[in-house]
Structure formats: C-alpha cells, structure tokens
Amino acid sequence: MVCETKRACSAVSEPTSRALTLKYEVERGLANVRAGKLAADSHEAQALPDKLEEAARLLEQGHAAVSDCDEKLTALKRRYGI
C-alpha cells in the first residue's frame, strides 16, 4: 500500500517538478532575449515556445494524477491512524 501511494504521488511530483524547471528556463530565456544577452533568432530562443508547451503538458499530466495520490494518502492515513 505504501509503495502504491509513493508511485501515485510520484506521478504528480515528477512531471510537476520538470514543468516548473522548464517554466523557469523559459522565463530566464525570455529575460535574456529582452536584455539583449540572447538573440531572438538563436536556436535557444526559438526553442522557448516548445519548452513552454511541454511545461503545460507536464503540468496537466501531474494535475491529472492528483486525485489518485490524494485517495491513496487518505487510505494510508485511515489505515495507520495518522
């Protein structure tokens, strides 16, 4: 039961963590473009929209797994009286 809960909650945290990392990379990339540190036509700058789309997809994936994680955590709490 504990391992199932860990897997279910990892299905939330892992894609969410990756999404937040990608979001930060996009924010940093946009700041660099605005500051003139990165050319808007560079490969890195051109990849920013795809990174943002991937971040959105990963956030949706993590969000979709929240209810399963919550259910398994609640079951654990009931079973062990936490």
Side-chain angles (χ1 to χ4, degrees):
M1 180 177 237
V2 172
C3 290
E4 288 177 27
T5 303
K6 181 180 176 183
R7 278 190 292 276
C9 293
S10 289
V12 176
S13 62
E14 291 172 6
T16 302
S17 173
R18 179 69 182 132
L20 293 174
T21 298
L22 286 170
K23 182 180 173 284
Y24 172 76
E25 289 174 8
V26 170
E27 289 171 351
R28 190 180 66 220
L30 288 174
N32 285 337
V33 169
R34 287 185 191 117
K37 296 177 184 178
L38 179 65
D41 61 351
S42 70
H43 177 70
E44 185 180 342
Q46 295 297 311
L48 295 176
D50 289 338
K51 281 187 176 186
L52 196 55
E53 286 180 27
E54 177 69 3
R57 186 190 67 74
L58 288 167
L59 284 173
E60 287 177 22
Q61 180 182 339
H63 187 293
V66 167
S67 62
D68 189 37
C69 174
D70 285 345
E71 289 172 16
K72 289 185 175 16
L73 283 172
T74 299
L76 272 180
K77 289 176 183 179
R78 275 192 229 127
R79 181 173 182 164
Y80 294 105
I82 299 173

